[in-house]
């Protein structure tokens, strides 16, 4: 142990040696695999150890314990910062897992993955995502408390806990963290505590070349409680004053009306001789000399690798005993709450089990056939209105487009501190309507945090074109299979007069390319209703619900197959009068043109099958027998009809199929004009069908 270490009261020499064990394990692990990020794991070892062994309420024998604090390593590249604490604390990792860092089949991949390693709450790869999603964790905790125990005094509910974050300079440079942190200040999330590792180093060197603002002042302006702990002593010396850091965290826990931002000034890689403070230790192994120098500096044998003394491990794994005492105390309050709140306890049991409520299946409206119809965004709003009373766990809002996205449940208060609100939206700290502001990327990350927190079902809306602003968060949600719902409206050139800047053209193709993300584009109001039903029943992975601005016909389901078939992703909506010669496949508002084209083809004596394909992903999940029954390989003449890039459809079209698609940007005009001018008409579909038939018969 170096002589520049000040431990909190009650820490022993074993604690100090455990911190140094973290340092040498981090160095050895990166050295063995040959790549990684050792510097931050070395210098942040005291802070991470403080959180895991002394501050956070959690149980290594039960990593999903309902009463636990949450930890988010937003600086996910420094995965060893978390992995070694999980090992020392006994959460399921062993020394061999540290030795197998970043290798095939290991429990310790390059970045922590919640679906892969016990004790990891969230996958944080791209910088900024972790701190942004942590805002969702904190919001979810408050909403859950409001559903289950709203009247308890602060700090007395079994549903009170904190979310702790370790963030890096890189996290705070990414714009998404600014979006989310601003909203966190507005929301007054006193249950969120962020430790910023302010070491002024990134991959390209000192952050002074790109990152010069007063970050602490920025967070103060956001409305955060801001604190500073300077281990550099103003640049004059280095003292790892862990006691001071603990004192600030304990004070932060008392601040109930603001999230807390603790600026922790460190030197990256401390105390590695010659290398501490250099960007050379940020993203590369230290080299044999650097590793040996570190071990000598902290009194370890440079000839040993992965040294973990038995007394150190026994000490750190006594965390389970301390956790058991905390858990037993929590359990008393929890059982008292259950006895006094039987109705809420039943709700909690259902939410924990991810069971759907009584009356769920009956809540979804059925829409009468209507040639004029309604926009699917409006149909979605009606569905949410019906679900409001049935599913208290369902909540959400919009990135400042609620009136256009139809995401507001009528009569439900806004999730805001009571003193904040407007003439249109009244605030209630336990409210249901979310206002993300014009922050699409933060919205995506926050939805993931809410969902990962465990009990509620979030959704968030914006225009489909603006989904590009949230793609980073959507991709991570897809990787994690997080069941968040994105209500993406204004789905095509059919949105009309706003013009090509707002009209998605390539977006359906681009988002269908993301693994684990389900894209669902209903063709009428009844498919929209069923889309909500199915996505809530599936509860598996994120769903992009693609909805129209303009009205579209509501199909007569006595003539066409029932919309409940949407669950299979694609289905025969109307069969041909005889063995089909051509198959017409449509989605969304363009399905109506395929339906009219089918009638024209049938009138001309050409048997045509109409297929609705709202979700390619759900169709792909079906067995081969079903898929063949919908799209028989014997029928080579096929037409797809969708107002977007045709790229996703070529595998269904084969050699002879034809796509009625949009391979260019739109224009500013009304929807009817644009569809006509761009060839989305029954006549164009008929022409494409005849061309495909001719090719197939040639």
């Amino acid at each position: 142990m170096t002589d520049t270490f000040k431990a909190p009261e009650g820490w022993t020499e074993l604690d100090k040696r455990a911190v140094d064990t973290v340092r040498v394990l981090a160095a050895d692990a990166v050295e063995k695999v040959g790549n990684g990020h050792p510097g931050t794991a070395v210098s942040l070892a005291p802070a991470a150890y403080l959180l895991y062994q002394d501050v956070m309420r959690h149980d290594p024998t039960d990593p999903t314990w309902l009463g636990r604090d949450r930890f988010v390593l937003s600086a996910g590249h420094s995965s060893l910062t978390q992995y070694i604490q999980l090992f020392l604390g006994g959460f399921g990792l062993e020394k061999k897992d540290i030795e197998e860092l970043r290798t095939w089949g290991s429990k310790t991949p390059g970045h922590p993955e919640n679906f892969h390693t016990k004790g990891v709450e969230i996958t944080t790869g791209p910088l900024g995502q972790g701190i942004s999603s942590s805002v969702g964790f904190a919001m979810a905790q408050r909403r859950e408390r409001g559903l289950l125990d709203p009247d308890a005094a602060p700090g007395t509910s079994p549903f009170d806990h904190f979310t702790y974050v370790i963030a890096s300079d890189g996290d705070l440079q990414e714009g998404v963290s600014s979006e989310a942190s601003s909203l966190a200040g507005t929301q007054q999330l006193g249950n969120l505590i962020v430790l910023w590792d302010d070491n002024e180093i990134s991959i390209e060197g000192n952050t002074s070349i790109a990152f010069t603002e007063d970050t602490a002042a920025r967070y103060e302006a956001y409305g955060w409680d801001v604190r500073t702990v300077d281990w550099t002593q103003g640049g004059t010396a280095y003292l790892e004053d862990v006691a001071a850091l603990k004192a600030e965290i304990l004070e932060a826990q008392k601040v109930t009306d603001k999230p807390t931002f603790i600026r922790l000034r460190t030197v990256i890689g401390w105390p590695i001789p010659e290398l501490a403070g250099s960007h050379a230790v940020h993203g590369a192994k230290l080299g044999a000399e650097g590793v040996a120098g570190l071990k000598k500096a902290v009194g370890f044998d440079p000839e040993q690798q992965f040294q973990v003394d038995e007394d150190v491990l026994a000490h750190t794994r006594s965390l389970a005993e301390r956790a058991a005492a905390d858990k037993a105390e929590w359990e008393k309050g929890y059982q008292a709450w259950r006895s006094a709140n039987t109705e809420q306890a039943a709700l909690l049991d259902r939410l924990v089990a991810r069971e759907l409520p009584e009356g769920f299946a009956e809540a979804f409206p059925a829409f009468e056939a209507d040639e004029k119809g309604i926009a699917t965004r409006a149909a979605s709003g009606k569905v949410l209105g019906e679900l409001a009373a049935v599913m208290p766990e369902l909540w959400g809002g919009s990135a400042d487009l609620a009136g256009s996205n139809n995401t507001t449940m009528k009569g439900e208060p806004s999730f805001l501190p009571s003193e904040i609100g407007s003439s249109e939206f009244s605030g209630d700290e336990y409210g249901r309507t979310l206002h993300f502001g014009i922050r699409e990327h933060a919205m995506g990350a926050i939805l993931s945090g809410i969902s990962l927190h465990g009990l509620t079902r979030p959704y968030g809306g914006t225009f489909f074109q603006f989904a590009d602003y949230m793609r980073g968060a959507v991709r991570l949600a897809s990787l994690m299979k997080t069941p968040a719902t994105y209500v993406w409206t204004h789905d095509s050139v059919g949105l009309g007069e706003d013009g090509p800047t707002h009209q998605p053209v390539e977006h359906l193709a681009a988002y269908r390319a993301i693994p684990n993300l389900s894209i669902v584009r209903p063709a009428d109001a009844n498919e929209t209703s069923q889309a909500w039903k199915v996505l809530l029943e599936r509860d598996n992975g994120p769903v992009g619900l693609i909805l129209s601005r303009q009205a579209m016909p509501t199909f007569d389901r006595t003539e066409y197959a029932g919309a409940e078939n949407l669950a299979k992703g694609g289905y025969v909506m109307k069969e041909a009068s005889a063995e089909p010669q051509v198959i017409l496949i449509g989605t969304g508002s363009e399905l109506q043109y395929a339906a009219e084209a089918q009638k024209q083809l049938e009138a001309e004596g050409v048997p045509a099958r109409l297929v609705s394909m709202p979700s390619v992903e759900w169709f792909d999940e079906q067995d081969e027998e079903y898929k063949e029954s919908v799209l028989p390989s014997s029928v080579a003449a096929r037409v797809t009809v969708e107002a977007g890039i045709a790229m996703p459809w070529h595998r269904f079209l084969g050699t002879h199929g034809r796509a009625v698609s949009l391979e260019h940007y739109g224009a500013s005009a009304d929807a009817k004009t644009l569809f006509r001018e761009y060839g989305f008409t029954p006549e164009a579909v008929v022409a494409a069908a005849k061309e495909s038939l001719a090719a197939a018969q040639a």
Side-chain angles (χ1 to χ4, degrees):
M1 171 61 62
T2 67
D3 57 4
T4 58
F5 188 94
K6 184 177 180 182
E9 184 178 352
W11 280 30
T12 67
E13 286 302 312
L14 278 176
D15 292 298
K16 297 178 182 179
R17 191 142 46 96
V19 169
D20 286 333
T21 298
V22 174
R23 302 186 209 266
V24 299
L25 285 177
D28 280 341
V30 173
E31 200 68 21
K32 181 181 178 183
V33 72
N35 55 78
H37 297 79
T40 297
V42 169
S43 51
L44 270 194
Y49 186 85
L50 171 70
L51 287 175
Y52 267 84
Q53 291 283 331
D54 197 357
V55 170
M56 290 197 298
R57 184 178 70 188
H58 53 181
D59 181 2
T61 69
D62 184 10
T64 61
W65 169 36
L66 188 66
R68 72 191 183 282
D69 289 329
R70 306 304 202 265
F71 174 74
V72 175
L73 181 66
S74 195
H77 56 278
S78 184
S79 57
L80 285 162
T81 296
Q82 184 167 26
Y83 290 152
I84 298 173
Q85 297 305 325
L86 294 176
F87 157 56
L88 292 178
F91 286 81
L93 293 183
E94 298 299 338
K95 187 168 74 169
K96 73 176 183 62
D97 298 309
I98 306 302
E99 295 173 356
E100 295 171 356
L101 175 74
R102 299 168 73 99
T103 60
W104 175 261
S106 76
K107 296 179 182 178
T108 49
H111 291 78
E113 298 168 359
N114 63 316
F115 53 86
H116 190 77
T117 306
K118 288 183 179 179
V120 175
E121 300 280 1
I122 181 174
T123 300
T124 59
L127 291 170
Q129 292 294 326
I131 185 174
S132 301
S133 290
S134 74
V135 176
F137 276 87
M139 291 167 68
Q141 184 269 324
R142 194 170 88 197
R143 171 68 180 165
E144 291 167 13
R145 190 190 202 276
L147 288 173
L148 301 168
D149 198 19
D151 298 325
T156 66
S157 172
F159 306 104
D160 286 334
H161 62 256
F162 293 96
T163 294
Y164 294 94
V165 182
I166 287 180
S168 64
D169 289 307
D171 287 298
L172 303 188
Q173 291 176 55
E174 287 287 358
V176 63
S177 66
S178 297
E179 293 181 21
S181 298
S182 173
L183 183 59
T186 297
Q187 287 289 349
Q188 301 177 11
L189 298 174
N191 54 353
L192 177 60
I193 298 175
V194 173
L195 273 64
W196 169 33
D197 179 26
D198 179 17
N199 59 36
E200 298 182 346
I201 291 293
S202 61
I203 289 176
E204 293 185 2
N206 194 286
T207 56
S208 62
I209 61 176
F211 187 48
T212 57
E213 77 263 19
D214 187 336
T215 308
R218 173 158 62 92
Y219 271 79
E220 189 171 357
Y222 288 152
W224 288 55
D225 166 50
V226 176
R227 300 168 181 273
T228 297
V229 177
D230 186 2
W231 287 355
T232 74
Q233 308 298 298
T236 62
Y238 202 75
L239 172 64
E240 290 176 311
D241 194 344
V242 187
L245 178 58
K246 181 179 179 180
E248 294 296 350
I249 292 173
L250 295 180
E251 286 302 309
Q253 292 174 349
K254 300 175 185 176
V255 179
T256 60
D257 61 347
K258 293 181 180 181
T260 293
F261 182 81
I262 299 176
R263 177 194 187 199
L264 177 62
R265 287 283 294 119
T266 67
V267 170
I268 191 170
W270 180 270
I272 307 169
E274 308 298 328
L275 293 176
S278 166
H279 71 95
V281 304
H282 174 78
K285 64 179 185 177
L286 303 178
E289 186 176 337
V291 173
L294 169 63
K295 291 177 180 179
K296 291 177 183 177
V298 297
F300 276 57
D301 183 355
E303 299 301 317
Q304 287 197 49
Q305 280 75 48
F306 298 98
Q307 180 181 343
V308 181
D309 295 340
E310 290 184 6
D311 57 344
V312 167
L313 190 60
H315 177 66
T316 60
R317 291 200 169 175
S318 67
L319 173 63
E321 299 172 15
R322 302 193 299 278
D326 289 342
K327 194 172 183 180
E329 186 64 28
W330 177 89
E331 188 71 22
K332 292 179 185 176
Y334 175 65
Q335 292 301 331
W337 169 82
R338 289 190 69 92
S339 298
N341 300 274
T342 54
E343 185 176 335
Q344 285 90 343
L347 172 61
L348 173 62
D349 292 342
R350 180 176 70 76
L351 298 182
V352 169
R354 305 293 285 186
E355 293 175 351
L356 294 168
E358 185 178 345
F360 171 81
E362 295 75 31
F364 295 88
F367 296 83
E368 295 295 327
D370 184 351
E371 186 174 336
K372 181 181 178 182
I374 64 172
T376 50
R377 62 168 176 160
S380 173
K382 292 179 182 296
V383 173
L384 289 173
E386 294 298 320
L387 285 172
V390 177
M391 288 192 75
E393 67 268 34
L394 182 65
W395 62 314
S398 171
D400 199 54
L401 290 168
S404 293
N405 299 148
N406 294 85
T407 50
T408 302
M409 296 175 178
K410 187 177 180 179
E412 294 290 341
S414 293
F415 183 83
L416 283 168
S418 57
E419 67 271 23
I420 296 177
S422 68
S423 57
E424 293 86 4
F425 297 100
S426 60
D428 181 332
E429 66 174 333
Y430 299 136
R432 188 170 193 174
T433 300
L434 288 168
H435 303 283
F436 295 100
I438 308 167
R439 304 182 180 98
E440 292 87 358
H441 202 176
M443 177 176 72
I446 289 168
L447 291 173
S448 290
I450 292 173
S451 184
L452 289 168
H453 197 267
L455 298 183
T456 62
R457 305 289 296 272
Y459 63 85
T462 188
F463 290 179
F464 192 25
Q465 195 277 333
F466 302 150
D468 281 352
Y469 285 163
M470 58 192 294
R471 188 180 177 94
V474 172
R475 184 180 186 275
L476 270 188
S478 301
L479 177 64
M480 295 184 285
K481 296 185 178 180
T482 305
T485 301
Y486 313 120
V487 181
W488 286 329
T489 71
H490 295 57
D491 65 340
S492 71
V493 292
L495 70 86
E497 292 85 351
D498 274 340
T501 62
H502 282 49
Q503 294 166 355
V505 175
E506 75 279 20
H507 294 67
L508 286 164
Y511 281 86
R512 286 184 180 128
I514 298 178
N516 302 335
L517 173 64
S518 296
I519 293 297
V520 186
R521 189 171 185 241
D524 73 349
N526 284 308
E527 280 196 355
T528 304
S529 185
Q530 288 300 305
W532 272 107
K533 181 175 184 291
V534 174
L535 72 87
L536 291 169
E537 289 173 335
R538 287 170 59 93
D539 192 25
N540 179 31
V543 175
L545 194 55
I546 316 300
L547 305 174
S548 73
R549 177 198 184 200
Q550 77 280 11
M552 60 180 72
T554 303
F555 289 96
D556 183 349
R557 295 292 169 166
T558 63
E559 177 183 357
Y560 296 97
E564 68 277 4
N565 290 289
L566 171 139
K568 293 184 179 295
Y571 62 100
V572 178
M573 191 166 173
K574 188 175 183 181
E575 188 55 278
S577 58
E579 189 71 21
Q581 295 180 15
V582 63
I583 300 173
L584 310 179
I585 307 168
T587 76
S589 57
E590 296 82 73
L591 184 65
Q592 60 184 301
Y593 307 124
E596 288 301 314
Q598 184 204 33
K599 293 177 180 178
Q600 291 185 23
L601 288 166
E602 289 282 354
E604 295 179 23
V606 180
R609 171 181 288 182
L610 177 66
V611 170
S612 176
M613 186 77 78
S615 178
V616 172
E617 295 78 21
W618 293 355
F619 184 71
D620 283 341
E621 291 177 0
Q622 308 310 310
D623 59 38
E624 290 303 318
E625 182 180 0
Y626 177 78
K627 288 188 283 188
E628 177 69 14
S629 74
V630 176
L631 301 176
S633 53
S634 59
V635 183
R638 301 177 179 189
V639 177
T640 58
V641 190
E642 185 172 74
I645 301 293
M647 187 189 306
W649 296 108
H650 290 296
R651 65 188 176 96
F652 296 107
L653 289 171
T655 304
H656 305 302
R658 297 293 184 268
V660 177
S661 64
L662 191 63
E663 305 296 325
H664 54 78
Y665 293 116
S668 183
D670 64 276
K672 185 177 180 180
T673 298
L674 290 171
F675 279 128
R676 182 186 69 246
E677 293 297 321
Y678 292 147
F680 291 94
T681 64
E683 292 73 24
V685 178
V686 169
K690 290 180 178 179
E691 186 178 324
S692 182
L693 278 164
Q697 294 167 2

